[in-house]
């Protein structure tokens, strides 16, 4: 498995022209943009509702660019919690990116330093998932392709904070629109997309059980880091990479 | 500047550090140990599951049904189709609650 991935990486497949790569990435970014639109709008609306100005809502979407952490931030701000604790909670929710960052470094290690810095800034959950899928399919992960994925997502995310902020009152009944379930449904889709990987079921079950326990005992947002760690530990335990290597 | 402004700036700086930090730490090692490789391959499913499971555990029966339905749709169709099917299911069911 490991060797196969590296072999494919060492023989770069002809990736086409730069503009065709951009639009190839753009096509991957488009459904993500549509799926995240309700959350971008909802964020803008809730931020203004919790005392943010429209400018501050837009600034937060532009500077942090992480939906779940932004939601946690405005939620806590509405509860008059100390500023350092709000910042720390944003950090805790986004801590999972450390894992994406370590994993995606294998895929985008050839980017130039500034391209690299911009790419890590744009490294969201779906961006990570698309980059992994692209690399696994054997196609070259270029900076232009990466920007193609990120551009529609980022531009619309920032725009939606502005629109949501202006028309915050349009969503009169979030519950009836199932807003609370849209994010879990969306993330479930990403989880299902990885189901062909080794030991997927064991990882998912371990992460699910431990994250639920952590959520009910320690509380949010730590269930993310703790649950993920459980899934990763199970993967390392059940994988036995040496034996698998001997067989192939 | 308001406290909101500084919360956003501090949150943005720390978020950027989480996004670049994993790579900066890992790139110090010349070759990746097979077990680390296994761990990295497990990352997406492990992390994304933690964003779904507690929501499922605390959802009402309609939310749970919508998730299960979307999960089944995902077995045959792409992510966008699955999302639209799941969203349609929860919105429809919530209309009659």
């Amino acid at each position: 498995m490991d060797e196969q991935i590296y072999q494919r990486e060492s023989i770069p497949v002809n990736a086409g022209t730069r503009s065709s790569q951009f639009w190839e990435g753009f096509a991957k970014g488009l459904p993500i943009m549509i799926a995240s639109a309700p959350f971008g709008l909802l964020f803008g609306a809730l931020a203004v509702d919790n005392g943010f100005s429209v400018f501050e809502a837009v600034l937060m979407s532009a500077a942090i660019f992480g939906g779940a952490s932004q939601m946690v931030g405005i939620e806590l701000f509405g509860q008059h919690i100390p500023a350092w604790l709000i910042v720390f909670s944003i950090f805790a929710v986004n801590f999972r990116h450390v894992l994406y960052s370590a994993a995606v470094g294998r895929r985008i290690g050839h980017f130039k330093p500034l391209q690299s810095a911009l790419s890590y800034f744009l490294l969201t959950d779906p961006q990570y998932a698309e980059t992994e899928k692209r690399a696994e399919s054997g196609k070259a992960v270029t900076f232009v392709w990466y920007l193609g994925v990120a551009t529609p997502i980022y531009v619309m995310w920032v725009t939606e904070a502005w629109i949501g902020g202006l028309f915050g009152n349009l969503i009169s009944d979030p519950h009836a629109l199932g807003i609370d379930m849209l994010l879990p449904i969306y993330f479930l889709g990403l989880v299902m997309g990885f189901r062909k990987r080794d030991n997927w079921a064991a990882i998912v079950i371990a992460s699910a059980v431990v994250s639920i326990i952590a959520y009910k005992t320690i509380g949010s947002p730590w269930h993310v880091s703790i649950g993920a760690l459980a899934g990763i530990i199970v993967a390392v335990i059940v994988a036995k990479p040496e034996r698998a290597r001997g067989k192939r | 500047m308001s406290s909101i402004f500084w919360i956003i700036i501090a949150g943005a700086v720390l978020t950027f550090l989480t996004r670049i930090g994993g790579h900066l730490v890992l790139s110090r090692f010349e070759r990746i140990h097979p077990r680390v490789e296994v761990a990295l391959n497990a990352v997406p499913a492990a992390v994304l599951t933690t964003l779904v499971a507690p929501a499922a555990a605390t959802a009402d029966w309609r939310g749970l049904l919508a998730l299960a339905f979307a999960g089944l749709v995902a077995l045959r169709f792409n992510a966008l189709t699955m999302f639209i099917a799941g969203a349609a299911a929860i919105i429809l069911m919530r209309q009659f609650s």
Side-chain angles (χ1 to χ4, degrees):
Chain A
M1 180 74 195
D2 311 332
E3 291 95 326
Q4 284 170 0
I5 289 172
Y6 280 118
Q7 254 175 10
R8 275 196 236 122
E9 273 177 349
S10 61
I11 310 164
V13 179
N14 183 14
T17 65
R18 288 165 70 100
S19 86
S20 82
Q21 284 173 35
F22 182 86
W23 293 113
E24 225 176 291
F26 196 89
K28 295 290 179 189
L30 221 48
I32 301 165
M33 179 196 97
I34 294 166
S36 61
F39 313 113
L41 294 168
L42 184 69
F43 166 77
L46 293 181
V48 169
D49 200 45
N50 282 359
F52 280 49
S53 67
V54 173
F55 167 74
E56 286 161 341
V58 171
L59 178 70
M60 194 176 198
S61 276
I64 294 182
F65 189 42
S69 69
Q70 291 175 226
M71 294 293 191
V72 168
I74 56 171
E75 169 93 2
L76 295 181
F77 186 80
Q79 299 169 19
H80 302 286
I81 282 169
W84 69 267
L85 200 59
I86 300 176
V87 172
F88 188 73
S89 298
I90 292 171
F91 178 67
V93 173
N94 282 328
F95 194 74
R96 66 183 187 280
H97 291 111
V98 169
L99 302 170
Y100 296 154
S101 168
V104 90
R106 303 174 295 172
R107 315 299 192 194
I108 67 171
H110 54 284
F111 289 7
K112 296 191 181 88
L114 270 181
Q115 297 178 341
S116 204
L118 180 61
S119 298
Y120 283 111
F121 172 75
L122 295 168
L123 185 62
T124 52
D125 304 74
Q127 181 81 35
Y128 169 68
E130 287 302 334
T131 305
E132 282 283 312
K133 270 197 279 179
R134 172 92 173 176
E136 282 194 357
S137 74
K139 291 178 188 162
V141 176
T142 60
F143 177 64
V144 175
W145 175 85
Y146 192 98
L147 266 193
V149 178
T151 302
I153 306 172
Y154 184 81
V155 170
M156 279 311 289
W157 183 254
V158 175
T159 310
E160 285 151 13
W162 178 63
I163 298 171
L166 288 180
F167 299 101
N169 300 327
L170 283 186
I171 304 170
S172 55
D173 189 357
H175 182 78
L177 288 175
I179 295 287
D180 54 318
M181 290 313 296
L182 294 185
L183 208 53
I185 291 169
Y186 174 69
F187 286 132
L188 177 65
L190 293 180
V191 172
M192 295 298 286
F194 289 105
R195 68 184 182 277
K196 302 268 162 66
R197 283 197 180 183
D198 292 349
N199 302 308
W200 175 81
I203 296 164
V204 167
I205 290 168
S207 295
V209 171
V210 173
S211 68
I212 289 171
I213 294 170
Y215 184 80
K216 302 224 163 170
T217 54
I218 303 161
S220 181
W222 293 106
H223 65 281
V224 176
S225 305
I226 296 169
L229 198 61
I232 292 163
I233 290 170
V234 165
V236 172
I237 292 171
V238 300
K240 299 192 182 70
E242 292 86 353
R243 200 181 296 171
R245 200 163 271 197
K247 260 192 292 183
R248 284 170 201 177
Chain B
M1 282 295 166
S2 68
S3 68
I4 293 179
F5 180 83
W6 292 113
I7 288 170
I8 293 171
I9 296 304
V13 169
L14 286 177
T15 299
F16 182 68
L17 285 182
T18 68
R19 283 178 172 148
I20 199 163
H23 166 66
L24 289 182
V25 172
L26 203 81
S27 64
R28 293 177 178 274
F29 301 96
E30 249 178 39
R31 56 179 289 278
I32 300 172
H33 189 274
R35 283 205 183 275
V36 176
E37 185 89 30
V38 167
L40 292 180
N41 282 329
V43 168
V47 176
L48 294 166
T49 299
T50 69
L51 301 176
V52 180
T58 53
D60 58 346
W61 67 267
R62 292 175 183 86
L64 210 54
L65 206 59
L67 269 177
F69 174 62
L72 286 177
V73 172
L75 292 175
R76 285 296 302 275
F77 301 95
N78 66 27
L80 186 62
T81 309
M82 175 270 196
F83 178 78
I84 292 170
I90 185 65
I91 292 169
L92 277 176
M93 283 189 284
R94 290 270 172 89
Q95 300 311 306
F96 306 104
S97 58

